[in-house]
Amino acid sequence: MGVLDAVAARVAGGVTVEFRPSGSSMVPLIRSRQPVRVTPVDPAKLEVGDIVLARVAGTVYLHLVSAVDPARKRVQISNNRGRVNGWTSHARVFGICVAVDGAPRAGAEAKTVQGRTGRAETGQGETG
């Protein structure tokens, strides 16, 4: 189990988690090792451009929502370099990134559900 799997499990359990993902697939929105805060989300409220923690085809990513399909209750996940990871169901979207390096992400807080606050034990994870 990878770091993002552990973070996803905590967020799915209702905990807001702060950690430092590594990787370059989300630059310039998230730079490697930049602190992020991810909070449980109401997937029905997601829009294109939101950054979410989601499982796609067995892998957990901190990536962008690139398309929404409300009728089928699913979203398409992509990185910030044009690579589409695939579609995933609302049940596999664990959280939304509400802050990057302490700066709030516009509109993200309105899509959250209440939970507890915590920090990832490892403090690291890959953006994918």
Side-chain angles (χ1 to χ4, degrees):
M1 181 163 91
V3 173
L4 283 184
D5 291 294
V7 171
R10 294 193 65 210
V11 175
V15 178
T16 295
V17 178
E18 295 180 11
F19 64 105
R20 293 175 176 265
S22 62
S24 61
S25 65
M26 289 295 290
V27 172
L29 299 175
I30 302 172
R31 298 188 188 288
S32 190
R33 307 285 302 132
Q34 201 170 25
V36 298
R37 184 169 51 249
V38 176
T39 300
V41 67
D42 177 351
K45 295 180 179 178
L46 291 174
E47 300 172 296
V48 171
D50 287 333
I51 299 174
V52 296
L53 187 66
R55 184 177 307 278
V56 181
T59 302
V60 177
Y61 297 97
L62 182 64
H63 277 180
L64 291 167
V65 172
S66 52
V68 295
D69 183 354
R72 294 177 70 182
K73 295 184 178 179
R74 66 184 190 154
V75 294
Q76 185 181 63
I77 305 299
S78 302
N79 68 20
N80 200 37
R81 300 191 176 264
R83 183 188 186 291
V84 175
N85 303 108
W87 289 92
T88 196
S89 69
H90 283 183
R92 292 192 173 127
V93 179
F94 310 111
I96 186 167
C97 180
V98 294
V100 177
D101 209 6
R105 297 246 329 135
E109 197 67 41
K111 299 168 187 169
T112 65
V113 294
Q114 297 296 353
R116 304 180 310 271
T117 302
R119 292 190 184 272
E121 283 80 18
T122 62
Q124 299 179 37
E126 293 190 22
T127 57

